[in-house]
C-alpha cells in the first residue's frame, strides 16, 4: 500500500502533458511558428508560477510538439501518436481550420479535448464535436467591421479573391453575402489554388472590373504574392483588405513599410490596455513580453494560442481535476475576461448550432500606416483613425 501511495502522489505532481502538432514547414509555416510561440508563452507563464493549481497541488505543463508539415495526413498521424504513444492529457490544435477539422475528429474519437488555438472557421464547430474549443472569433465575422467602414467611405463595388481551401472559401462566402446585404456590388470573385505561385491572370480579371475595393482571403504567403502582383501590374484599388498577411510582422518586413502602407486586415486582437487578467496582465503587457522573448511584434495568432492555453488552465482549476469530462464541463460554464478579451464557449444544443465556439467576440480591422504600424480603423466607434485610401504605387 505504501508503494501504491507513493506512485499516486508522483502522478498527481507530475507535469500535465499537452500534445501539439503545428506547422514548422510547408505553406502554413509562418502562421505555425506564430501559433507555437503563443503556446510557449502560456506554458512559460504557467510554469513560472509553479504550475496549474489542481485541487491544491501545483502541476507544471509540458508541451510535446511535432511538425505537421502543413499536411492533413501528417497532422492526423501525429495526433494519433500524441494520444496513443505520448499519452498526452490534452491537445493544442494546428494553424488552419482545415487541419483542425481533420485532427479534431481524431481527438473526439479518443475523447481528448483539443483547443483550436488558431482555427476559426464556422465549420470547425458545426460537426457536433463536443471536444473541440476555440477562443477565436468566427470566420463568418472576419470582414464585417471592415465592410461596414468601407460602406461608410462610399465603397459601392468590391472584387474578391480567395484560395480554394475550406476556411478561405467560408470567408469568401460570408464576405459576398454581407457585402450584398449592405448594397455593395461584388463585381468579380476569383478562386486560386492555395499553393499558387502566379495569380496574375486572376488579378488582371479583377483589375478590369475597376472595383472600389479588393478583398483577398488567403495565407500570409498569398497576401505577399497578391501585393507584389498588384504592384507589378500597376493596380492600386482605392482600398485593399487582406484576411491574414498584414497582421504578420513578416509582411511589412518582406515588402517594406512603403509597399505595405494602406493595406487593411481583420484582426482578432490588438495590444490595448483595456484587456487584462491576473496572469498575463494587460494585452499591452503580453505584447511587450512577446517582443522581449522573440524579438518581433506578435500578430493575433500567438495571443489566440495563449488564450487557448489560459482557457485550459482556468477550466482545470475550476474542475479541480484533469479528468476530461470534468474539464469539458468546466469549459462550457467558463466566463472569463482576459488579456485576449471575453471568453465563453457554446454548449451542445446552443441556438447558434455551434459547439465549443466563442461567438460573442467582435473582430477589429486594422490598417498599416507609413511605418508599418497597425492602426485600428473599425469598428468605427472604437477606431483610432479614419481609413486612408491606398496611394498609387508610383507615389510611394
Amino acid at each position: 500500500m505504501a508503494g501504491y501511495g507513493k506512485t499516486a502522489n508522483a502522478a498527481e505532481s507530475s507535469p500535465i502533458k499537452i500534445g501539439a502538432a503545428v506547422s514548422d514547414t510547408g505553406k502554413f509555416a509562418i502562421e505555425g511558428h506564430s501559433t507555437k510561440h503563443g503556446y510557449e508563452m502560456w506554458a512559460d507563464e504557467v510554469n513560472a508560477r509553479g504550475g496549474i493549481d489542481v485541487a491544491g497541488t501545483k502541476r507544471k505543463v509540458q508541451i510535446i510538439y511535432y511538425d505537421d508539415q502543413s499536411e492533413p495526413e501528417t497532422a492526423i498521424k501525429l495526433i494519433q501518436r500524441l494520444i496513443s504513444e505520448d499519452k498526452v492529457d490534452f491537445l493544442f490544435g494546428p494553424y488552419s481550420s482545415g487541419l483542425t477539422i481533420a485532427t479534431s475528429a481524431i481527438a473526439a474519437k479518443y475523447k481528448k479535448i483539443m483547443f483550436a488555438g488558431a482555427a476559426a472557421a464556422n465549420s470547425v464547430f458545426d460537426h457536433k464535436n463536443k471536444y473541440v474549443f476555440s477562443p477565436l472569433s468566427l470566420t463568418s465575422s472576419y470582414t464585417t467591421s471592415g465592410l461596414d467602414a468601407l460602406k461608410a467611405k462610399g465603397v459601392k463595388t468590391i472584387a474578391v479573391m480567395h484560395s480554394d481551401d475550406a476556411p478561405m472559401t467560408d470567408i469568401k462566402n460570408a464576405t459576398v453575402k454581407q457585402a450584398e446585404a449592405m448594397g455593395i456590388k461584388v463585381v468579380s470573385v476569383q478562386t486560386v489554388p492555395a499553393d499558387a505561385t502566379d495569380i496574375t491572370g486572376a488579378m488582371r480579371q479583377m483589375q478590369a472590373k475597376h472595383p472600389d475595393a479588393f478583398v483577398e482571403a488567403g495565407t500570409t504567403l498569398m497576401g505577399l504574392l497578391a501585393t507584389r502582383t498588384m504592384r507589378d501590374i500597376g493596380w492600386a484599388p482605392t482600398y485593399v483588405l487582406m484576411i491574414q498577411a498584414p497582421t504578420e510582422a513578416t509582411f511589412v518586413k518582406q515588402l517594406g513599410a512603403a509597399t505595405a502602407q494602406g493595406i487593411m486586415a481583420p484582426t482578432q486582437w490588438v495590444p490595448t490596455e483595456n484587456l487584462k487578467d491576473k496572469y498575463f496582465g494587460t494585452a499591452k503587457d503580453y505584447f511587450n513580453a512577446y517582443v522581449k522573448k522573440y524579438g518581433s511584434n506578435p500578430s493575433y495568432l500567438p495571443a489566440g494560442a495563449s488564450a487557448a492555453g489560459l482557457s485550459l488552465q482556468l477550466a482545470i482549476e475550476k474542475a479541480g481535476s484533469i479528468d476530461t469530462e470534468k474539464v469539458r464541463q468546466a469549459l462550457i460554464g467558463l466566463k472569463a475576461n482576459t488579456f485576449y478579451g471575453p471568453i465563453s464557449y457554446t454548449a451542445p444544443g446552443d441556438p447558434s448550432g455551434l459547439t465549443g465556439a466563442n461567438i460573442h467576440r467582435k473582430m477589429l480591422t486594422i490598417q498599416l500606416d507609413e511605418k508599418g504600424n497597425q492602426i485600428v480603423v473599425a469598428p468605427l466607434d472604437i477606431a483610432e483613425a479614419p481609413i486612408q485610401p491606398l496611394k498609387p504605387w508610383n507615389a510611394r
Side-chain angles (χ1 to χ4, degrees), residues 293-308:
K293 182 176 177 66
Y294 296 107
S296 63
N297 295 350
S299 68
Y300 67 78
L301 285 173
S306 294

Side-chain angles (χ1 to χ4, degrees), residues 203-253:
M203 298 292 281
R204 285 196 182 282
Q205 289 194 52
M206 292 184 288
Q207 181 184 22
K209 297 292 185 180
H210 304 291
D212 297 326
F214 164 48
V215 179
E216 178 269 344
T219 62
T220 300
L221 290 175
M222 185 62 73
L224 286 164
L225 179 60
T227 304
R228 289 172 174 137
T229 304
M230 281 193 294
R231 184 179 58 191
D232 291 346
I233 66 176
W235 181 36
T238 307
Y239 303 103
V240 174
L241 178 66
M242 294 185 169
I243 296 303
Q244 176 65 42
T247 62
E248 291 288 344
T250 191
F251 185 72
V252 175
K253 185 177 181 180

Side-chain angles (χ1 to χ4, degrees), residues 125 132-136 138 344-347 352 354-360:
F125 310 99
V132 63
F133 294 84
S134 175
L136 278 67
L138 297 169
S344 63
Y345 296 109
T346 51
S352 67
L354 306 174
T355 301
N358 189 13
I359 62 174
H360 299 297

Side-chain angles (χ1 to χ4, degrees), residues 62-375:
Q62 175 192 3
I63 305 180
I64 301 171
Y65 293 102
Y66 292 124
D67 175 16
D68 64 27
Q69 302 173 358
S70 306
E71 296 293 339
E73 295 80 8
T74 303
I76 289 171
K77 291 177 181 176
L78 292 175
I79 290 298
Q80 290 175 324
R81 177 179 173 181
L82 285 163
I83 295 172
S84 302
E85 298 181 24
D86 296 307
K87 308 292 185 185
V88 299
D89 300 300
F90 302 97
L91 294 162
F92 283 168
Y95 170 79
S96 107
S97 296
L99 293 181
T100 300
I101 291 171
T103 54
S104 63
I106 305 301
K109 177 182 176 182
Y110 289 94
K111 297 184 177 180
K112 288 289 182 184
I113 292 173
M114 170 180 275
F115 284 90
N122 289 45
S123 49
V124 172
F125 310 99
D126 63 5
H127 293 279
K128 312 303 180 188
N129 181 344
K130 62 182 183 180
Y131 293 97
V132 63
F133 294 84
S134 175
L136 278 67
S137 299
L138 297 169
T139 52
S140 57
S141 66
Y142 266 34
T143 55
T144 302
S145 68
L147 288 174
D148 278 337
L150 290 174
K151 172 75 173 177
K153 296 291 288 187
V155 165
K156 292 182 172 56
T157 58
I158 65 170
V160 182
M161 184 185 76
H162 71 100
S163 54
D164 60 0
D165 50 297
M168 296 306 169
T169 300
D170 283 352
I171 294 173
K172 179 270 293 184
N173 290 337
T175 299
V176 169
K177 183 178 179 180
Q178 291 173 16
E180 292 176 344
M182 294 177 186
I184 298 174
K185 185 177 181 181
V186 181
V187 296
S188 179
V189 175
Q190 300 293 320
T191 306
V192 296
D195 57 355
T197 57
D198 185 349
I199 54 175
T200 305
M203 298 292 281
R204 285 196 182 282
Q205 289 194 52
M206 292 184 288
Q207 181 184 22
K209 297 292 185 180
H210 304 291
D212 297 326
F214 164 48
V215 179
E216 178 269 344
T219 62
T220 300
L221 290 175
M222 185 62 73
L224 286 164
L225 179 60
T227 304
R228 289 172 174 137
T229 304
M230 281 193 294
R231 184 179 58 191
D232 291 346
I233 66 176
W235 181 36
T238 307
Y239 303 103
V240 174
L241 178 66
M242 294 185 169
I243 296 303
Q244 176 65 42
T247 62
E248 291 288 344
T250 191
F251 185 72
V252 175
K253 185 177 181 180
Q254 290 196 30
L255 294 175
T259 298
Q261 182 183 359
I263 298 178
M264 299 185 293
T267 186
Q268 295 269 0
W269 175 82
V270 291
T272 171
E273 298 281 357
N274 297 331
L275 303 175
K276 59 184 177 181
D277 58 59
K278 66 178 182 180
Y279 301 99
F280 287 109
T282 67
K284 185 64 175 176
D285 292 335
Y286 179 91
F287 178 93
N288 292 335
Y290 186 96
V291 172
K292 183 178 181 181
K293 182 176 177 66
Y294 296 107
S296 63
N297 295 350
S299 68
Y300 67 78
L301 285 173
S306 294
L310 182 55
S311 294
L312 173 61
Q313 175 185 349
L314 295 173
I316 289 175
E317 291 179 347
K318 182 179 179 181
S321 169
I322 64 167
D323 175 79
T324 296
E325 291 305 319
K326 291 180 180 177
V327 174
R328 193 179 68 80
Q329 288 299 324
L331 282 166
I332 291 172
L334 181 67
K335 294 187 184 299
N337 290 315
T338 73
F339 81 100
Y340 188 68
I343 295 177
S344 63
Y345 296 109
T346 51
D350 187 86
S352 67
L354 306 174
T355 301
N358 189 13
I359 62 174
H360 299 297
R361 289 186 76 247
K362 290 183 178 179
M363 287 291 289
L364 308 174
T365 300
I366 58 94
Q367 186 173 40
L368 297 174
D369 70 7
E370 69 279 5
K371 295 181 179 178
N373 297 317
Q374 298 179 16
I375 308 299

